Each structure stands twice: as C-alpha cells, then as structure tokens.
Amino acid sequence: MNSLTDLGFLGTRTYGVMSYCAKTQHWVVEKLEAHVSLRLKSLFPRLNKTQVGSFTFPTNPDVCADLFWFTQRYPMLMTAADEALLQRQSSTFHQEVSERHRITMPDYLPPQYGELRPGCELRGYQLQFVELFRRTRSLLLGDDTGLGKTYEAIGAMLLPGTLPAAVVVQTNAGHQWEEKIQEFSYLRTHLIKGTTPYNLPEADVYIFKYSQLAGWVEVFSKEFFKMCCFDEIQELRHGKDTSKGAGAKVLVDHTHFQLSMSATPIFNYGIEIFNILDTYVRPGCLGMRHEFIREWCEDDGKVVRDPKALGTYLTENHIVLRRLKKHPPVNRTIIEVPYEQAEVEKIETLAKDLALRTLSGNFHESGQAAREFDIWMRQVTGVAKARAVAAYARIYAEQGIPIILAGWHREVYEIWLKELHDLNPLMYTGSESISQKRKAKAAFISGQSNIFILSLRSGAGIDGLQKRCSTVLIGELDWSPQVHEQIIGRVDRDGSFLGNLEEMDENPVQVVFLVTQYGSDPVITDLLGLKDSQALGIMNPNEGPVKKNYDSARIKEMAKRYLESLKEKSSREAA
C-alpha cells in the first residue's frame, strides 16, 4: 500500500481496508467492522459465513461492480490508484452490460466470424447470438425448436480461441451433428468411439455422447478442449448427481467457452434450471442452492413460485437467450378414444393390489408400489387404447397425410405394427440400431411410408422430418410436457436455414393428443398444467399468464381414481 498521503477517502469515515494484489489478480478486503463483515457476506453468498479477517475476490467484472457499489455504502481505506482501478473495472462491467443489450436489439448488425461453405450463411438473429456468446463465453441458448441452434453452435465454433471444441449429444444425434457441421462449414469432425480414451486424430470438433463423458474426465482435465457445447442440456438436469453430470462438470471447468442448448431445459419442475445453470452455465448466478430454494421456490423446494420473474431475471442478465418462432402457433387438439375393457381386466387384480399398497401408510412399501403401479397403469392404458389409436392413424395415412405417431411401450408398438402392417409403418424407437434409425428416417422423408412411429424420448435433435410431415399424433402421454414439445419440434421447424426469422413457413403444424378416460391418461392430462407452467414461465416470461397448479401426489391420485372406477364397475354389475 502507498503512503497515507496517497490514500483515497482520507478524512472520510472508513469501515475496513481494501487493496488490489497484482500478483494474484485478486481484491483483498480486511479489517472490517463486525456489522460490515455481515453485510459483505450477505452480498457475496459464496463467502463462508464463519470466515473472519481477510476476504479475497476475483477480478470478474460483475464482482468488481458489486465491490465498487459496496464501497459507496461502506467506504474503505484504499490507495487512490486502487480506487481508480476498481472504478474502471466497475465501469467496464456496466459498459459491457449495455453492449450486450445493444447486441440483442433488432437493428444490430453483428459481424461474421470464420468461413462457411458457399451458399451457407447465418441469419441476423443467429449472428447476434454468436456475438453475445463471444462476450459472455457461457450461455444457455434456449431458442425455439427449429430456429437452427445447431447452426448457431457452428457459428460459435468459428470464434477465435474456441477450437478444438467438444460437442456432447444424445445417443442418436452424433451422425446428424457431423453431417450438419460438414455441410455448413469447413470444420473437421471426429465421432468419439467408446468410453475409454485413445489417441485422438486431428480435428476441430470432437463429438461425444452423454454416456461417454465419465470415461473421458482425465482427458478433459488436461484442458485440451477450448470450448464445450451441450446439445439438449436437459440431459444434465440432475446436475452432478449422475456419472454423466459429474463428467460434464469436469469438461466445463477446463474449457474457456461453455455453450448449453435446449428449447426445453425444464422437463419437470423449476429446480432443474438451477441444476443446469449453477453447474454448467454460470456458477453462482442464482446463489447457493438453499438460497435459490428459499427465494424462488415453494415449500417443496422444486416448484418455482414465480416462473415469469425468474425467466425475466435470466434473460435480462444474459444468462439465457431465448427467441421464439414468428409463424402461426401449433394447432393442438385433444381427441378422446375408447379403450378395450378386455385388456384392462387382464391385470385388474394386480393393479388393485398395487393401488391399495400405494395408498397405504407404509412409506417404503407405498413408494415401491407407486412406482410399479405407475409402470403398469401407463402400459395398460397405452395397450387398452392402442387399436383405437391405430385406427385414427389409419384415417390420416390412407388419405395420403404423412404422420408421426408417438408412443412409449413396446407392447403398444406391437399392436400398432400389427394393425397398420399394410401401410408399412417405419420405426424410430429404443429397439433399433443407429443405422436402422437413419434408414427409417430417410425412408419416411423419401415417401416410402406415411407412418413414422417415434418413441417419446427419442424425439430430441432429429431434423429433416419437417420436409415431409406437419402432423403429429401423440398416442401415449408422458409425465413431462417438454417431451411432447420435443416431438412436436421435429416438424414445427424451418425446413431451410436461409432467410429471416420472420419468414417462417405459414402452414401450421397439427398435433392430436389421443387420450382415454381410463388409467393414467386423466391424471397425466391434469398434471401437465403445472409442469408446463414452470417451463413456459421461465423460458417465455413475456408470453401471457401462467397457470398455477400443484403436484402433491400424482401416483396416489391415479391410484385413488382407479379404485373409484372399480367401485363404480362393481355397483353397475350388482345392479
């Protein structure tokens, strides 16, 4: 520290000493009065609540801005040079925030980085993302399905200092990513083979599956990769509690740029956005976990109290970037179909026993029974209405209308295949190999069949179906509305990456939810209101009112309704 004659705030009441350490590039705050120390810890929640004496802070622009603001309320003894440095760092932060806002304005014309193949170009809004990502270095890109997040990611990889990059994708999306990168740019790609590290060939982009991450942590820790990109980041919504989540965290911690992408990062409840943002996007942006739960969530700790307020905070602070399509909204219709009583009666005794155990007071037994009851009821519900769903699909297909038929259970698929065999239905589910899936997709796009049976959880990331199809039949329901949105997003997207955001296809997508009044369908239909409100409020804070609902015991409600239906049936038979 310089002599006292050089001290800033000389003659002013001070509450501690603050200095800049050029060697470590940290700010040091010490000799604080007790009540000021408490205030400092409340402003910077990452500080240990029991820490006393000296506190160190990194020179991150946002941290410097908060420190400068703190010194306005509680002046510190510091040199004039340090005071001027802190003020410059704070001003830099505010200038950067203003520049980020300017970048997202409609009239902003961002520069083009790198070289793309002839005939390929990024749209204006995609270039805006690239420039914003260059400045933030870490971002959750939540653009609506079909707006070209893959191409935006390629644009980000053309920024200086981002290569080599590691792209992490779902199991079936690796080849699709490789094809798009090679078609759109001159970047060299390599698909990672297996979970055991090996000598990597020279490339610009290395494509991993989520299931491979844990085996490559030693390579990640060597900081070979300069950028990481997580496609469909909802795969990591449980944070570091899974092996793939822990592996992803190592990758994030040893790269300079981190991009997360998903139009549907919240599959269930709002707490998932904390797991994603705090672990993989912007650590500390939502405080500590217990602070996020206390400030943002209901008493259950997973439902966000005010999704719109949280969404507004995330977008205004450029933690999440979200743009919506401008073309007509999807036409959604719910059609009630009959169910087959014979299929229901096959498991009635077992289902009744599981329902009673689900409602019992024994926590362990009821929990296990609830899981079994959920599995059974969803499968039986799907089977019971399968033939009716197939008949509805036939109506479309025989009129020459290509459809996606979405389901979940193998037993349901078998009925659909049998009922629709003469129409040559194609399969894209968990049972086919990657090559079989690619052939089925190509066959559907080329017009070899009008029926494409797609697994509910296989919908993320598939591109190209929109070239032929704009009709989706949801033959089985999922507990998460975002699973449905991923399926719908396979056709509710632009068929070309040329043009402007405002020039999207004017033909609306048709989605039909085929439901029955038996089993799991009524409960799931009711529940989707809450889960959808969490995702819509956080990801689309400016899009109308958010419904508020509560999920206290979804399986117990299903069990209760099932037992009530048995009583009604018994009464009718007795009469």
Side-chain angles (χ1 to χ4, degrees):
M1 183 176 291
N2 297 343
S3 63
L4 287 177
T5 56
D6 293 330
L7 289 173
F9 298 119
L10 192 60
T12 303
R13 167 82 161 93
T14 59
Y15 297 85
V17 178
M18 185 173 179
S19 60
Y20 178 69
C21 179
K23 183 177 181 180
T24 62
Q25 295 187 331
H26 280 78
W27 285 99
V28 180
V29 179
E30 53 192 342
K31 299 180 181 179
L32 287 177
E33 296 183 15
H35 70 288
V36 180
S37 178
L38 291 174
R39 290 292 185 92
L40 186 72
K41 293 173 186 176
S42 64
L43 179 62
F44 296 95
R46 293 281 174 175
L47 293 176
N48 192 317
K49 300 303 181 184
T50 61
Q51 184 178 346
V52 295
S54 179
F55 305 89
T56 60
F57 299 87
T59 54
N60 298 343
D62 56 335
V63 173
C64 293
D66 286 342
L67 283 174
F68 181 75
W69 173 84
F70 191 78
T71 62
Q72 304 310 294
R73 175 63 179 85
Y74 299 101
M76 298 288 158
L77 198 63
M78 58 195 306
T79 66
D82 283 353
E83 179 192 355
L85 175 61
L86 182 62
Q87 186 168 3
R88 287 198 304 273
Q89 291 172 331
S90 176
S91 297
T92 299
F93 169 76
H94 292 293
Q95 291 170 4
E96 179 63 24
V97 170
S98 297
E99 183 63 16
R100 292 177 189 175
H101 282 294
R102 190 174 75 88
I103 290 170
T104 57
M105 291 295 101
D107 59 348
Y108 178 77
L109 298 176
Q112 170 77 56
Y113 295 93
E115 184 180 2
L116 298 173
R117 291 190 180 275
C120 299
E121 63 181 9
L122 291 170
R123 296 170 174 170
Y125 71 93
Q126 294 171 329
L127 289 170
Q128 286 179 326
F129 153 74
V130 174
E131 182 64 16
L132 184 63
F133 182 67
R134 184 181 74 85
R135 291 176 174 275
T136 61
R137 290 177 171 254
S138 184
L139 192 68
L140 171 56
L141 177 60
D143 280 354
D144 212 350
T145 52
L147 291 186
K149 289 188 290 296
T150 303
Y151 301 114
E152 292 177 276
I154 295 171
M157 294 173 201
L158 298 178
L159 289 170
T162 59
L163 301 178
V167 174
V168 186
V169 303
Q170 293 178 317
T171 301
N172 302 317
H175 289 285
Q176 179 172 288
W177 264 84
E178 184 174 47
E179 290 169 2
K180 285 191 175 183
I181 292 173
Q182 293 176 353
E183 291 172 0
F184 200 65
S185 72
Y186 294 100
L187 295 173
R188 299 164 299 170
T189 60
H190 173 70
L191 285 170
I192 297 296
K193 301 174 178 62
T195 58
T196 303
Y198 53 89
N199 291 328
L200 294 173
E202 189 173 342
D204 300 310
V205 182
Y206 297 85
I207 302 174
F208 293 81
K209 300 174 186 176
Y210 280 99
S211 58
Q212 296 170 328
L213 292 178
W216 285 80
V217 292
E218 292 297 327
V219 176
F220 298 158
S221 65
K222 298 184 185 302
E223 300 190 355
F224 171 73
F225 299 106
K226 303 302 183 289
M227 172 183 168
C228 60
C229 172
F230 298 102
D231 185 33
E232 305 299 348
I233 188 66
Q234 69 270 9
E235 287 284 332
L236 302 177
R237 63 188 180 275
H238 300 298
K240 295 182 292 184
D241 291 342
T242 63
S243 59
K244 64 183 177 184
K249 178 59 175 172
V250 176
L251 179 58
V252 164
D253 289 343
H254 293 88
T255 51
H256 304 309
F257 294 84
Q258 301 87 32
L259 173 60
S260 298
M261 303 194 307
S262 178
T264 56
I266 303 166
F267 259 37
N268 297 295
Y269 302 105
I271 188 63
E272 293 172 359
I273 201 69
F274 175 87
N275 297 336
I276 290 172
L277 296 178
D278 187 68
T279 310
Y280 308 108
V281 180
R282 205 79 59 83
C285 66
L286 294 171
M288 303 291 283
R289 184 181 183 86
H290 69 275
E291 293 167 332
F292 175 79
I293 291 174
R294 181 188 67 215
E295 299 298 331
W296 289 102
C297 298
E298 302 286 359
D299 293 338
D300 62 4
K302 60 182 181 180
V303 175
V304 170
R305 185 182 305 111
D306 191 343
K308 286 185 176 294
L310 178 57
T312 300
Y313 167 76
L314 295 175
T315 53
E316 287 184 350
N317 286 274
H318 304 110
I319 300 167
V320 174
L321 179 64
R322 167 80 162 171
R323 280 79 60 88
L324 301 177
K325 293 188 287 288
K326 301 296 184 181
H327 64 182
V330 173
N331 286 338
R332 301 166 191 258
T333 305
I334 296 178
I335 299 293
E336 184 176 329
V337 296
Y339 64 90
E340 295 185 55
Q341 185 63 36
E343 295 294 339
V344 172
E345 291 175 351
K346 288 180 182 179
I347 62 122
E348 199 166 81
T349 302
L350 174 60
K352 180 177 180 180
D353 177 62
L354 288 173
L356 289 170
R357 286 164 54 198
T358 297
L359 296 173
S360 72
N362 185 311
F363 178 79
H364 177 74
E365 181 182 356
S366 64
Q368 178 63 30
R371 287 187 289 273
E372 294 180 24
F373 183 70
D374 180 22
I375 293 170
W376 271 102
M377 287 306 295
R378 290 180 63 194
Q379 177 178 318
V380 173
T381 302
V383 169
K385 65 177 180 178
R387 289 181 176 81
V389 169
Y392 204 88
R394 178 178 290 276
I395 294 173
Y396 279 87
E398 289 188 344
Q399 294 183 68
I401 301 174
I403 63 168
I404 291 176
L405 178 57
W408 179 246
H409 292 95
R410 172 54 52 182
E411 292 78 7
V412 175
Y413 298 151
E414 293 298 331
I415 295 174
W416 289 350
L417 289 172
K418 181 179 178 181
E419 295 294 313
L420 301 169
H421 72 281
D422 57 309
L423 297 176
N424 186 35
L426 299 168
M427 298 284 287
Y428 196 107
T429 70
S431 300
E432 293 75 42
S433 67
I434 293 177
S435 62
Q436 288 174 323
K437 288 183 171 116
R438 296 176 71 184
K439 289 179 181 178
K441 172 185 162 184
F444 181 68
I445 293 173
S446 66
Q448 296 179 36
S449 174
N450 283 333
I451 301 177
F452 191 74
I453 297 176
L454 179 62
S455 170
L456 284 167
R457 299 265 172 166
S458 295
I462 305 175
D463 190 25
L465 300 180
Q466 76 277 12
K467 297 175 182 177
R468 174 137 197 276
C469 177
S470 62
T471 303
V472 179
L473 304 187
I474 305 293
E476 288 190 272
L477 300 180
D478 193 281
W479 286 112
S480 172
Q482 301 313 308
V483 170
H484 302 148
E485 292 306 312
Q486 284 284 356
I487 294 289
I488 296 168
R490 298 317 97 205
V491 294
D492 184 27
R493 60 201 299 116
D494 194 6
S496 169
F497 48 76
L498 300 176
N500 298 313
L501 179 62
E502 291 77 12
E503 297 174 356
M504 306 295 286
D505 185 4
E506 292 298 322
N507 295 318
V509 169
Q510 305 286 334
V511 180
V512 181
F513 293 86
L514 299 167
V515 303
T516 183
Q517 286 303 309
Y518 170 79
S520 59
D521 274 7
V523 181
I524 295 178
T525 302
D526 291 345
L527 177 72
L528 294 185
L530 166 66
K531 290 185 174 181
D532 204 37
S533 72
Q534 292 281 283
L536 287 177
I538 295 172
M539 295 304 292
N540 305 332
N542 300 317
E543 296 294 309
V546 172
K547 296 177 292 182
K548 197 165 186 178
N549 207 334
Y550 291 92
D551 170 30
S552 58
R554 67 187 192 188
I555 309 299
K556 287 188 176 182
E557 176 62 22
M558 188 162 64
K560 181 180 177 182
R561 292 193 187 190
Y562 178 71
L563 292 175
E564 289 175 351
S565 69
L566 290 182
K567 289 182 181 179
E568 293 176 0
K569 175 187 174 183
S570 178
S571 298
R572 289 195 301 270
E573 291 176 348

